Amino acid sequence: MTRVNLHEAAKQLGQGAVIGVPTETVYGLAASLDQPNAIENIFHLKKRPLNNPLIIHLAKAADVQPFIKHDLPHLTELMAQFWPGPLTLILPVKETLIPPIPRAHLPTAGFRVPCHPLTQALLELTGPLVMPSANLSGRPSSTLPSHLEEDFGLNFPVLDGGPCAHGLESTILYYDQAQWVIIRQGALTPEDFKTCLGYPPEVRINQKSQAPLCPGQMYRHYAPKTLLHPLSPQDASYRGTVLGFAGRSYPLFCRFVNLGDLKNPHSIAENLYTHLRKLDEELLPEALVDMNFPATGLLATIKERLEKAISKA
Ligand code: TXA
Ligand code: MG
């Protein structure tokens, strides 16, 4: 892997390169908002459908103001409380100021101010960067520099910020019919917003009947090549690999991969994509996953990621 330092990364981004960049959630594949060819290149590199928009990352909350078409209730409070941090806000934009490709021709765009110190320093140098997660479309996101090497090759330039602290993508909020709703679960839970909004936002994903609020959530996602199936009581004599949790009992002759302790969801989140990616390194054809855990707090995000990874469509 080609590691680039902060100044080299800023210089290359200014010249239209695409670079792997750390954030506190997952690694991103960055291009400057001013470089349309580089933005198109992101879609090619990821093999990402063009109707799946990208998030615009900014150095500070104040930088979002020029782009926004009109204010929304609680917007100032949300930005003040959660930025910098793992929250993406979908906002109505002045369409002349943001090229159509990153927002997939929508009248809105996703914005986030990351809190990783290296990302912040980079954004100060470069200005707005568009960054999807740094993985081939549909694969688990990257939470280590070596994950980018797996997906984009040994020579891909990466700004090394070490392991990502959260290990799960940002939570995405969208304003709909007088309330904020979560259109992608993430590192922040509905309860985290209760003080700010006065209510925990409803989680609204996978609505089959209407146009998708969050196009990226429609696809099979976060998935290794290894086929995953939920562990069931009929699997008592299974001899393959089982992804499960500390302190639980699993089929006697299986190989147990410990995703962590359900009492410490943060540590499960931090290593989740590394565990999923390791299955592919081992060229395992299939593995079972213990899905028998409550969808509460951060475990709800973890469960949703595993459900998407298991999903066949
Ligand atoms: O934590 C994160 O959010 C990471 C880091 C790198 O910041 N980024 C990330 O980007 O997860 P990506 O592209 O993998 O996921 C962005 C999601 C997609 O599902 C996309 O459909 C949705 O955000 N999105 C972006 N702009 C949108 C918009 N205007 N309306 C609805 N959904 C949008
Ligand atoms: Mg992604």
Side-chain angles (χ1 to χ4, degrees):
M1 175 170 27
T2 311
R3 314 245 164 162
V4 288
N5 67 28
L6 180 64
H7 289 276
E8 186 60 23
K11 189 173 144 208
Q12 290 193 24
L13 286 162
Q15 292 169 345
V18 174
I19 305 243
V21 167
T23 82
E24 73 281 15
T25 57
V26 297
Y27 272 77
L29 217 52
S32 168
L33 185 61
D34 298 334
Q35 296 284 341
N37 291 342
I39 297 175
E40 267 187 57
N41 199 13
I42 285 183
F43 285 90
H44 291 306
L45 283 165
K46 273 183 70 83
K47 301 190 171 59
R48 178 174 174 118
L50 285 166
N51 65 356
N52 190 5
L54 309 177
I55 297 171
I56 300 168
H57 295 67
L58 304 166
K60 53 186 187 307
D63 295 348
V64 82
Q65 290 303 340
F67 295 113
I68 305 179
K69 198 164 177 189
H70 56 80
D71 194 21
L72 293 170
H74 288 114
L75 178 56
T76 314
E77 291 89 337
L78 282 167
M79 294 193 300
Q81 189 173 334
F82 295 100
W83 281 357
L87 171 66
T88 294
L89 295 167
I90 306 296
L91 303 174
V93 290
K94 293 178 190 149
E95 293 179 37
T96 48
L97 297 187
I98 299 178
I101 305 172
R103 56 184 165 81
H105 295 263
L106 294 169
T108 56
F111 293 94
R112 178 163 115 73
V113 177
C115 70
H116 192 296
L118 203 52
T119 331
Q120 288 213 327
L122 181 69
L123 286 161
E124 290 288 352
L125 294 173
T126 59
L129 294 175
V130 295
M131 276 200 254
S133 53
N135 52 279
L136 291 172
S137 199
R139 300 254 305 138
S141 298
S142 292
T143 50
L144 291 172
S146 59
H147 295 165
L148 282 95
E149 194 177 318
E150 287 165 16
D151 283 11
F152 303 108
L154 290 177
N155 295 327
F156 194 77
V158 179
L159 177 64
D160 186 348
C164 299
H166 289 288
L168 292 172
E169 298 77 358
S170 60
T171 299
I172 305 185
L173 283 185
Y174 176 83
Y175 191 74
D176 188 37
Q177 295 174 357
Q179 57 165 332
W180 289 94
V181 294
I182 292 179
I183 59 169
R184 179 179 72 182
Q185 290 159 288
L188 295 169
T189 69
E191 292 299 311
D192 290 329
F193 297 101
K194 225 171 143 181
T195 318
C196 181
L197 298 176
Y199 57 92
E202 177 197 328
V203 177
R204 202 182 291 168
I205 49 175
N206 297 333
Q207 357 85 66
K208 297 259 190 289
S209 55
Q210 337 155 357
L213 287 179
C214 186
Q217 291 304 95
M218 294 304 285
Y219 311 108
R220 171 179 149 94
H221 218 131
Y222 316 110
K225 291 183 194 115
T226 302
L227 282 182
L228 299 177
H229 309 281
L231 175 71
S232 82
Q234 286 86 56
D235 296 316
S237 56
Y238 188 70
R239 287 172 177 264
T241 296
V242 174
L243 308 187
F245 303 99
R248 292 189 151 190
S249 50
Y250 292 107
L252 197 55
F253 298 108
C254 77
R255 184 185 61 135
F256 168 52
V257 174
N258 187 357
L259 295 177
D261 188 337
L262 287 164
K263 288 194 220 72
N264 187 355
H266 283 280
S267 75
I268 299 174
E270 213 182 321
N271 299 308
L272 184 66
Y273 295 139
T274 298
H275 282 298
L276 294 180
R277 282 174 171 271
K278 272 201 187 127
L279 301 174
D280 283 347
E281 257 173 58
E282 295 170 3
L283 303 173
L284 272 190
E286 66 154 33
L288 304 185
V289 190
D290 180 3
M291 294 297 285
N292 186 19
F293 60 94
T296 48
L298 198 59
L299 288 179
T301 304
I302 291 165
K303 196 163 199 173
E304 189 267 345
R305 298 300 193 262
L306 288 171
E307 276 164 359
K308 280 258 161 57
I310 288 172
S311 145
K312 305 288 175 290

